[in-house]
């Protein structure tokens, strides 16, 4: 894997920010886009743009082919049994909301259980809070180990015969931990519950096989995996999708409309009301092509090496706290410096051209579990290098010096 | 981008030695406000007597900018009428927009003008002032923002 060649394909990386070459360490928030993705979207608008599934004209056919081709591309990428099991959404958030409002009400009754974890992103937490409130179901949490990992013994305890839905993030956007989804799915299924996976942070970085994971729903965001913003997907088991209610109604999703009654199209189109995110889907397909050409296994290996390097390099900094386990993590490091608020850390790093995230990372319950109000996070992707980590470490040392001096 | 424009000595002094940090036991106006995008939070208490702020205290958690701003605000607002307090909050908004305003009440506040060059940090600086605004409004004074 030639990082220099890869970096050349990301135009945005080659600029100075605040007088320093940009070091982009915020890919867990959103990844940068390679030229092939930008070009695919541009080419679509310049040559093929039209509405899908309705025009008889040539552009309409081309747009439909591109859009449905993208669906097949996503299906192959996830090893889904068929393209009909891929619903395009706005992103992971809307995919999870679709499951929580379209599927959950049909199975949840008062006293039933939804099981999640305290490390969930708000997008895999609030939809379940709401689903529980609406149905009278109980929202239960699998407790975390002190290092932020999940113990299967706790999963066994949390999931019972009353559990109807288990929803867990594959990879934590804060702790970097990779959760044992396949094992949790096995326990969920043994109790007759369905397994929902928030794949926002896993899909960009590792090979995903929804059949091998044996999950029932899997949600992803395009923009975190080199694709455009505004496009994501939900994979679902066929039997579940066929019984899931649409939550948006209108054009595109209907079969027959009468004054007082209407019927829906087959899956997946019944879940895609209105003109879909065509250019986004085209961009997502191009992103998948890009990632697969490099190889997800190569990307995975590169990031894990970078994470290990960053962990040991940053650990040397006096007064740093790194959250989450040392082993078994993806390429992100969430940390705090003693006596310097993460916003101040992020501002000083930014003044040296280094982009990191600071705040609660849409994980307020996890912040409380960590007993902090906010943290700083450096997240890596295929275009990051050890030099980027070195720049980060050096800049953090200067941040400490600056604040020691300023408040000293 | 000059960090010294943002982290001026007087700001760091208020951060390190916050004035009026604490709570008022009874009879005060309390406003709890947080910044949902970053997790900063403040609890502001105002003791109001005869239409004047006789005491102001705060507790909370946040970055150097939000906490120093709270320290300065509580210092400046003591002894002011509710209308004066509200006018000061308005003046602070103008400062954040880069307008040249003076704070005769407490010149230290003018040091926060540098925040204006760091758009991502403006919400840190304004948190305490928004709490002040709400506190005054809860007393039937000031006026709700017109936007």
């Amino acid at each position: 894997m030639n990082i220099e060649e890869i970096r050349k394909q990301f135009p945005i990386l080659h600029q100075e920010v605040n007088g320093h070459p940009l070091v982009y360490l915020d890919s867990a928030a959103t990844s940068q886009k390679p030229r092939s993705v930008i070009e695919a979207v541009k080419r679509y608008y310049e040559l093929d743009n039209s509405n899908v599934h309705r025009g008889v004209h040539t552009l309409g056919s081309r747009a439909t082919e591109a859009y449905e081709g993208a669906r097949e591309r996503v299906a192959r990428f996830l090893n889904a049994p068929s393209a009909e099991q891929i619903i395009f959404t706005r992103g992971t958030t809307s995919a999870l909301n679709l499951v929580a409002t379209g599927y959950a009400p049909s199975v949840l009754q008062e006293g039933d259980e939804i099981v999640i974890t305290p490390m969930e992103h708000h997008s895999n937490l609030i939809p379940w809070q709401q689903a529980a409130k609406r149905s009278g179901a109980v929202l239960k949490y699998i407790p975390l180990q002190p290092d932020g990992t999940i113990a299967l013994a706790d999963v066994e305890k949390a999931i019972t015969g009353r559990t109807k839905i288990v929803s867990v993030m594959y990879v934590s956007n804060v702790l970097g931990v990779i959760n044992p989804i396949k094992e949790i799915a096995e326990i969920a299924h043994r109790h007759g519950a369905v397994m929902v996976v928030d794949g926002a942070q896993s899909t960009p970085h590792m090979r995903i096989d929804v059949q091998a994971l044996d999950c029932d729903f899997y949600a992803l965001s395009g923009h975190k995996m080199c694709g455009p913003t505004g496009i994501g997907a939900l994979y679902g088991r066929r039997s579940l999708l066929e019984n899931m209610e649409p939550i948006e109604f209108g054009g595109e999703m209907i079969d027959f409309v009468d004054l007082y009654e209407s019927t829906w199209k087959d899956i997946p189109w019944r879940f895609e009301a209105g003109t879909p995110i065509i250019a986004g889907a085209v961009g997502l397909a191009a992103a998948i092509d890009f990632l697969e050409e490099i190889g997800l296994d190569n990307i995975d290996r590169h990031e894990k090496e970078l994470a290990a390097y960053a962990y040991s390099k940053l650990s040397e900094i006096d007064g740093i706290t790194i959250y989450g386990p040392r082993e078994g993590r993806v390429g992100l490091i969430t940390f705090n410096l003693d006596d310097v608020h993460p916003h101040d850390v992020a501002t000083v790093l930014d003044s040296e051209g280094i982009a990191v995230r600071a705040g609660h990372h849409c994980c307020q319950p996890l912040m409380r579990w960590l007993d902090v109000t906010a943290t700083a996070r450096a997240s890596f992707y295929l275009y990051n290098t050890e030099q980027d980590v070195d720049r980060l470490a050096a800049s953090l040392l200067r941040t400490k010096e600056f604040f020691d001096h300023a408040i000293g | 981008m000059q960090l010294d424009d943002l982290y001026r000595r007087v700001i760091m002094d208020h951060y390190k030695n916050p004035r009026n940090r604490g709570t008022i036991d009874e009879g005060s106006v309390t406003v709890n406000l947080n910044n949902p995008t970053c997790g900063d939070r403040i609890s502001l208490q105002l003791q109001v007597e005869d239409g004047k702020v006789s005491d102001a205290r705060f507790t909370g958690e946040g970055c150097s900018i939000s906490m120093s701003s709270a320290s300065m605000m509580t210092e400046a607002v003591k002894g002011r009428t509710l209308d004066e307090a509200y006018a000061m909050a308005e003046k602070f908004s103008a400062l954040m927009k880069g307008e040249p305003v003076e704070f005769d009440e407490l010149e230290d506040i003018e040091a926060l003008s540098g925040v204006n060059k760091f758009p991502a940090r403006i919400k840190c600086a304004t948190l305490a002032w928004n709490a002040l605004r709400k506190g005054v409004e809860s007393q039937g004074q000031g006026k709700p923002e017109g936007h």
Side-chain angles (χ1 to χ4, degrees):
Chain A
M1 193 165 149
N2 184 337
I3 306 298
E4 275 321 301
E5 283 306 311
I6 288 172
R7 288 180 63 83
K8 279 185 197 156
Q9 298 177 54
F10 288 82
I12 204 169
L13 297 178
H14 308 282
Q15 65 175 302
E16 292 207 337
V17 168
N18 297 317
H20 300 268
L22 169 66
V23 173
Y24 186 76
L25 300 179
D26 197 18
S27 295
T30 195
S31 72
Q32 296 303 347
K33 322 302 174 199
R35 191 170 276 114
S36 63
V37 169
I38 299 167
E39 286 297 322
V41 173
K42 182 168 170 270
R43 205 165 47 239
Y44 167 75
Y45 278 126
E46 287 184 351
L47 298 175
D48 303 330
N49 178 53
S50 188
N51 216 324
V52 293
H53 302 145
R54 46 188 100 162
V56 174
H57 54 75
T58 302
L59 292 189
S61 304
R62 275 196 226 150
T64 304
E65 213 167 284
Y67 183 65
E68 293 305 327
R71 196 190 306 279
E72 280 165 26
R73 194 72 193 83
V74 174
R76 278 207 310 283
F77 182 63
L78 299 177
N79 193 31
S82 72
E84 291 81 53
Q85 288 167 262
I86 303 296
I87 300 161
F88 281 124
T89 67
R90 208 158 43 75
T92 303
T93 298
S94 56
L96 292 168
N97 272 279
L98 176 55
V99 181
T101 50
Y103 169 74
S106 68
V107 294
L108 288 176
Q109 296 190 343
E110 203 173 331
D112 284 344
E113 297 164 351
I114 304 166
V115 173
I116 62 174
T117 82
M119 76 170 84
E120 299 310 314
H121 187 280
H122 294 162
S123 61
N124 194 31
L125 193 152
I126 306 167
W128 303 116
Q129 275 180 358
Q130 295 298 109
K133 280 185 185 155
R134 282 192 299 264
S135 61
V138 180
L139 185 59
K140 284 171 74 177
Y141 288 87
I142 301 166
L144 303 183
Q145 295 294 298
D147 66 352
T149 56
I150 293 172
L152 289 176
D154 290 327
V155 180
E156 292 276 8
K157 269 184 234 153
I159 299 175
T160 73
R162 293 303 307 263
T163 307
K164 293 292 190 297
I165 295 166
V166 178
S167 191
V168 178
M169 65 196 333
Y170 199 164
V171 165
S172 164
N173 63 319
V174 172
L175 302 168
V177 60
I178 304 165
N179 289 320
I181 292 297
K182 190 176 158 67
E183 291 78 4
I184 298 172
E186 192 272 317
I187 297 167
H189 290 154
R190 209 191 313 135
H191 291 89
V194 303
M195 182 73 205
V196 184
V197 181
D198 169 356
Q201 297 291 345
S202 49
T203 323
H205 308 289
M206 55 182 78
R207 186 180 295 284
I208 302 297
D209 181 333
V210 290
Q211 296 188 72
L213 282 175
D214 201 24
C215 58
D216 300 290
F217 292 102
Y218 187 99
L220 64 88
S221 290
H223 73 95
K224 292 192 201 287
M225 47 186 283
C226 295
T229 52
I231 184 76
L234 175 69
Y235 156 81
R237 203 180 282 281
R238 181 179 284 275
S239 58
L240 300 178
L241 291 181
E242 280 172 348
N243 289 306
M244 187 163 89
E245 285 298 316
I247 60 169
E248 283 196 318
F249 304 89
E252 284 291 301
M253 55 81 65
I254 49 87
D255 176 30
F256 182 78
V257 179
D258 202 354
L259 283 178
Y260 299 101
E261 292 295 332
S262 302
T263 54
W264 321 139
K265 266 187 189 159
D266 288 337
I267 65 164
W269 301 284
R270 73 168 68 145
F271 302 111
E272 295 177 0
T275 296
I277 315 147
I278 311 165
V282 168
L284 177 56
I288 291 172
D289 286 342
F290 174 80
L291 293 174
E292 288 206 323
E293 197 175 313
I294 294 163
L296 268 295
D297 293 338
N298 292 329
I299 294 170
D300 191 7
R301 193 177 328 114
H302 169 69
E303 288 173 15
K304 283 192 176 129
E305 283 168 11
L306 212 50
Y309 181 73
Y311 198 104
S312 66
K313 188 95 188 168
L314 297 187
S315 299
E316 290 167 11
I317 296 171
D318 209 23
I320 198 169
T321 305
I322 298 176
Y323 302 98
R326 179 163 197 152
E327 303 298 329
R329 61 161 57 234
V330 296
L332 67 85
I333 306 264
T334 298
F335 62 93
N336 265 324
L337 286 183
D338 280 356
D339 303 323
V340 190
H341 192 278
H343 292 161
D344 293 318
V345 171
T347 294
V348 178
L349 294 180
D350 183 49
S351 75
E352 300 197 359
I354 302 171
V356 300
R357 175 92 181 260
H360 54 59
H361 315 288
C362 298
C363 287
Q364 290 186 15
L366 180 60
M367 292 296 116
R368 282 190 282 279
W369 185 84
L370 291 170
D371 198 23
V372 295
T373 52
T375 58
R377 178 187 70 193
S379 53
F380 311 109
Y381 207 8
L382 70 170
Y383 37 66
N384 290 117
T385 62
E386 290 193 353
Q387 287 73 30
D388 291 344
V389 176
D390 294 341
R391 286 259 317 266
L392 171 67
S395 193
L396 283 174
L397 285 173
R398 281 193 292 277
T399 307
K400 268 177 65 74
E401 265 168 40
F402 182 85
F403 272 85
D404 285 350
H405 180 72
I407 61 176
Chain B
M1 186 169 179
Q2 277 299 323
L3 283 179
D4 294 336
D5 286 346
L6 180 65
Y7 297 115
R8 296 202 187 145
R9 184 167 294 279
V10 58
I11 293 176
M12 299 317 284
D13 178 58
H14 276 270
Y15 179 47
K16 191 183 165 200
N17 307 300
R19 331 293 198 250
N20 309 307
R21 200 173 170 99
T23 53
I24 300 169
D25 288 341
E26 49 190 69
S28 60
V29 179
T30 303
V31 180
N32 296 307
L33 212 56
N34 62 10
N35 186 338
T37 55
C38 64
D40 280 9
R41 57 180 183 80
I42 185 174
S43 177
L44 172 68
Q45 290 189 303
L46 302 171
Q47 187 91 51
V48 181
E49 285 166 25
D50 301 330
K52 274 193 177 177
V53 179
S54 58
D55 198 3
R57 308 266 180 94
F58 79 99
T59 55
E61 281 178 86
C63 61
S64 58
I65 302 301
S66 71
M67 292 296 107
S68 62
S69 186
S71 168
M72 292 179 194
M73 182 276 287
T74 49
E75 196 69 352
V77 82
K78 277 198 272 188
R80 306 284 154 189
T81 67
L82 289 174
D83 280 342
E84 286 169 343
Y86 200 83
M88 222 187 327
E90 302 261 277
K91 206 157 61 169
F92 192 78
S93 296
L95 185 75
M96 289 298 106
K97 288 179 189 136
E99 293 168 23
V101 285
E102 289 181 358
F103 282 83
D104 298 330
E105 302 88 343
L106 183 70
E107 284 181 5
D108 291 3
I109 295 170
E110 292 165 26
L112 285 166
S113 64
V115 176
N116 156 257
K117 296 193 194 75
F118 295 77
R121 304 302 298 278
I122 290 175
K123 63 187 190 311
C124 309
T126 51
L127 183 65
W129 296 87
N130 289 339
L132 174 63
R133 239 180 239 275
K134 277 190 188 281
V136 174
E137 282 166 11
S138 75
Q139 299 303 293
Q141 302 284 312
K143 56 179 188 322
E145 279 184 272
H147 49 79

